[in-house]
Amino acid sequence: MQVLDRIEGFRKELDAARAAGKSVGLVPTMGFLHEGHASLIERSAGECDVTAVTVFVNPLQFGAHEDLAAYPRDLERDVAIAEAAGAALVFAPPVQEMYPGDVLTAVHVSGVSEGMEGASRPGHFDGVATVVAKLFAIAGACRAYFGEKDFQQLGVVRRMATDLSFPVDIVGCPIVREADGLAMSSRNVYLSADERRAATVLYRALQKGAGDPRHGSEVMAATVAAEPLVHLDYAEVIDTDHEYRLLIAARVGTTRLIDNLGVAK
Ligand code: AMP
């Protein structure tokens, strides 16, 4: 298990792996790993010869009033979790390494990045697309694993990889939940005991909405309205050929949580 913090060293390792005929799996994260992240790493380790986990709290994707400074970090623990899940490499660059000067180039994916998270967090998806493009440019040809937990992000990353011809296959992975249904998130540590209990309403709202997806927005909103500690940001349903995708975002105290659920047609 290697922990690297320089772009050149990381690139060389992955180039050497490919030169030796090995396939590469990439799992981009912001660290403070949990079982959701571990499921991505395990999937990659099962499908690829060499799995690299990146740990980088990307300042570009945080708004001015968001939790960049407070975002939980514990690299030692992350390295242990990544190794146990089957990773061969952890790339954890300092901000200076990724952004040594002013960032004058940004990647903007229109369409899929509009509405929902894009509307609530202006600039967020430009930050995500820009850092993921950098990681793809550094990592080279690979399979890259992303969670459906960030459903809109998965769409943005897929579109970005296609439009910019990155030699990267994007693999979407299912959401891992706590026993009571709360989607695992690094941000769950912010919740007080009361907030943690109240936060289960997101999944309950998704499940209720899934029972009547054509009125899913209203059903989800009504469910959340019954929980005084939780303030709804949005509850939406995307209607595609093969499924309804219910998506929800809410604030619990100062913590913003998102979740989603697919209902097959
Ligand atoms: P983050 O560290 O929050 O940026 O997440 C890194 C990756 O892990 C993203 O692709 C997320 O969608 C994914 N992820 C986060 N939480 C979960 C979860 N509960 N289940 C599955 N994937 C997740």
Side-chain angles (χ1 to χ4, degrees):
M1 175 77 178
Q2 286 198 75
V3 183
L4 302 167
D5 61 2
R6 295 284 171 256
I7 290 171
E8 275 320 306
F10 181 51
R11 182 179 269 147
K12 271 192 193 136
E13 284 299 325
L14 297 187
D15 283 346
R18 279 183 295 262
K22 294 178 177 169
S23 59
V24 170
L26 186 73
V27 184
T29 80
M30 296 205 300
F32 213 69
L33 302 185
H34 50 64
E35 286 170 46
H37 298 113
S39 74
L40 272 52
I41 301 167
E42 283 161 9
R43 171 100 177 254
S44 172
E47 297 178 352
C48 307
D49 298 319
V50 173
T51 290
V53 177
T54 69
V55 174
F56 182 62
V57 183
N58 173 36
L60 291 191
Q61 70 190 68
F62 286 76
H65 304 291
E66 293 184 356
D67 56 343
L68 173 62
Y71 198 83
R73 297 160 212 246
D74 187 343
L75 183 58
E76 211 175 308
R77 184 170 156 275
D78 290 343
V79 168
I81 292 171
E83 183 166 28
L89 288 167
V90 169
F91 176 53
V95 172
Q96 265 295 111
E97 179 72 4
M98 291 293 275
Y99 306 120
D102 291 344
V103 182
L104 302 181
T105 304
V107 179
H108 176 75
V109 182
S110 50
V112 281
S113 68
E114 283 151 25
M116 297 187 292
E117 291 305 286
S120 294
R121 305 182 68 188
H124 170 67
F125 283 129
D126 288 4
V128 170
T130 302
V131 78
V132 173
K134 276 178 76 83
L135 291 171
F136 287 178
I138 293 165
C142 63
R143 286 164 73 85
Y145 295 80
F146 290 86
E148 287 186 355
K149 162 78 171 32
D150 300 276
F151 192 79
Q152 194 179 5
Q153 167 177 284
L154 179 57
V156 169
V157 169
R158 276 192 200 285
R159 188 60 198 236
M160 189 272 292
T162 301
D163 285 354
L164 298 184
S165 304
F166 280 109
V168 177
D169 289 330
I170 309 296
V171 184
C173 303
I175 300 173
V176 177
R177 301 179 177 283
E178 302 285 358
D180 61 7
L182 179 67
M184 292 197 181
S185 165
S186 306
R187 289 191 166 98
N188 291 349
V189 295
Y190 296 146
L191 301 170
S192 69
D194 285 345
E195 290 170 349
R196 171 66 186 78
R197 273 188 292 276
T200 57
V201 78
L202 271 75
Y203 187 53
R204 283 188 276 122
L206 288 168
Q207 285 180 305
K208 273 200 179 174
D212 184 8
R214 272 170 294 185
H215 303 101
S217 296
E218 297 85 340
V219 173
M220 289 191 279
T223 309
V224 171
E227 177 48 75
L229 288 182
V230 180
H231 304 280
L232 187 67
D233 180 350
Y234 61 79
E236 295 200 14
V237 181
I238 301 175
D239 188 347
T240 68
D241 289 348
H242 65 287
E243 69 165 15
Y244 296 101
R245 180 63 58 161
L246 289 80
L247 302 105
I248 193 166
R251 206 168 35 74
V252 189
T254 55
T255 307
R256 192 167 175 285
L257 300 177
I258 61 171
D259 200 352
N260 67 86
L261 187 63
V263 186
K265 278 188 170 170

